[in-house]
Amino acid sequence: MAFVPGSASQPTAEVELSISCRSLQGMDLLSKSDPMCVTYIRPFGESRWVEYHRTERISNCHDPHFVSKIHMVYRFEEQQPLKFEMYDCDSPSTNLADHDFLGFATCNLAQIINGGKLEMLLQPREKGHYLNSNSNLGYIQIMAEELQTNKDEVTFKFSGHKLDRKDWFGRSDPFLELHKSTESGMYTLVHKTEVIKFNLNPRWNVFTLPVRSICNGDYERSIKIVCYDWNRSGNHSLIGEFYTNLNSLLDETSSRRFTLVNPEIQAKKKGSYKSSGEIIVEKCDVRRIYSFLDYIKGGTQIFCTFAIDFTGSNGNPSNPDSLHFITEFGQNAYEQAIISVGTIIEDYDSDKQFPVLGFGAKLPPDGRVSHEFFVNMHPTNPYCDRVHGVLQAYRSCLRQIQLYGPTNFASVIKHVMKFASTYTDGSSYFILLILTDGVITDMPQTCKAIVEASNLPISIIIVGIGSADFSAMEVLDGDTVALTSGGIRASRDIVQFVPFSKVMGSPNAGALLAREVLAEIPTQFVSFMKSRNIAPKPPITSVTTLPPDPSMYN
């Protein structure tokens, strides 16, 4: 946290947890396990465990060092229980029940913070799990380090020159690992490059890391770079390693060529050993990372458009079983979603005017079907004043239209794209909130529109209302697999899908829905600005003019 003399602050800090394991149990007959670690937290005042983080899957390894780090806020005054579960991944499935359980361990965050690292014996799952409680399931080690406030990121490109041949019948398959030194004096893995097959002079792809993840903002802190020859068995062969720091990697006045040394070969050959090749720094540039708040403080405006599903699958609005049923004694799911999300967006919207679109209905006076109409039924102006105005327009619209179908998204997406395409300078960002109950019927057109929109300042939020099959929505939400259309890949992930049933029934359903729905907006927002190299404008400060000092006229 920043030091501000004469002020007060809560005793909190952002910490980074690094996870590694050793001697994990093998679950596969013909190969080693493919481990992944899932971290759970216990929210303050609650007894349930909530999933917080998943690492990457590492193939054929019983002693994994995970690249994926856990970032969380350490609060001195809270206990902050943590649970770590290890799994052997047997498929791409995200369902943990589809994978083999390897063991778990629990602790409090303070226990890790206290010593900088904590090693625990993995335990079998309770109540009759197949793992033998008497067997050694292996150990998990968690290292913690406080992260300094640093908004820089560094972009690397490395190549190799005359690397040692490690295979008898071919060239090496080299890859690099970058390790940062911690305050405890140990090194922890922060990045792995891709493997370059059959090449002793490889050129690895460009990659970018936050400066604080590689040296915690200290440009003189030691960095270890290790080169391995990849082996299918998981027992990768060491080619060589060297130690440096970020300042040396950035120094363009030097050759930026580093000698790889293999300690075992050096010990055997002694004076006759020169090196195991070279690593060349082709690119190492640092640039500032800007946050969502930096842009908002600089005047970037957020505009939110609502799109409401008026297809017949919602049910007759006059029927209490309908998802569009209006009652004086509460809000239906559509209204709850409008209030929950709109109330938060309203704070970022300067004019508080929301365009509200409808789709999938027959309109007066002739009953024509429309997939893009103004819910306030105004012929040219879709805007509603504040969230209250959105609700009024929604309720009034239900009395004037006939629910019909099908469920098409492409038209409302293209409507917002027209506006976003004229404001690509960082001054504006557009959010489209689609509230729907059904399965998309224009999937190819919707995918195409989303891929095109990924180049514009747009985020699309889809809230699933009701209990329909929303599996197609997961395809649009490209968190794990990037969306493609016609062979073209989305330039960034701009879709977030949340089923309303996930929070329905909770006493804080509105707040939980808003948190789920808006969680990815800041990241998506910043990713667009970075893709266009748009820096935020200086913070806008309000100026208050005071009356003249009377003493000046005495």
Side-chain angles (χ1 to χ4, degrees), residues 485-544:
S485 174
I488 301 174
R489 180 173 176 168
S491 61
R492 60 192 184 93
D493 173 24
I494 65 170
V495 178
Q496 168 78 341
F497 170 70
V498 178
F500 188 75
S501 59
K502 184 175 181 179
V503 299
M504 191 168 58
S506 168
N508 298 317
L512 291 174
L513 177 64
R515 186 174 67 180
E516 291 284 337
V517 161
L518 300 174
E520 294 186 12
I521 295 296
T523 301
Q524 293 175 359
F525 177 103
V526 172
S527 71
F528 170 78
M529 300 300 182
K530 287 179 63 177
S531 71
R532 295 296 183 98
N533 291 317
I534 298 173
K537 295 180 180 179
I540 297 174
T541 56
S542 57
V543 179
T544 302

Side-chain angles (χ1 to χ4, degrees), residues 150-218:
N150 187 297
K151 293 186 177 182
D152 294 342
E153 65 181 11
V154 57
T155 299
F156 294 107
K157 181 172 179 59
F158 292 104
S159 61
H161 179 62
K162 293 185 177 180
L163 302 183
D164 277 357
R165 185 191 303 269
K166 306 300 289 187
D167 299 327
W168 287 102
F169 301 105
R171 299 174 181 176
S172 298
D173 306 322
F175 69 94
L176 295 179
E177 287 187 353
L178 276 70
H179 300 251
K180 76 169 181 180
S181 60
T182 64
E183 293 178 355
S184 62
M186 300 182 67
Y187 284 87
T188 179
L189 179 64
V190 295
H191 184 77
K192 284 183 183 179
T193 68
E194 75 282 8
V195 176
I196 305 294
K197 303 287 285 186
F198 312 116
N199 199 324
L200 300 181
N201 298 285
R203 298 185 71 203
W204 290 281
N205 291 335
V206 173
F207 62 92
T208 300
L209 298 172
V211 166
R212 68 180 188 172
S213 75
I214 194 168
C215 65
N216 209 9
D218 179 1

Side-chain angles (χ1 to χ4, degrees), residues 31-44:
S31 64
K32 298 178 182 178
S33 295
D34 304 324
M36 172 185 71
C37 182
V38 182
T39 302
Y40 298 83
I41 62 172
R42 183 179 291 167
F44 182 73

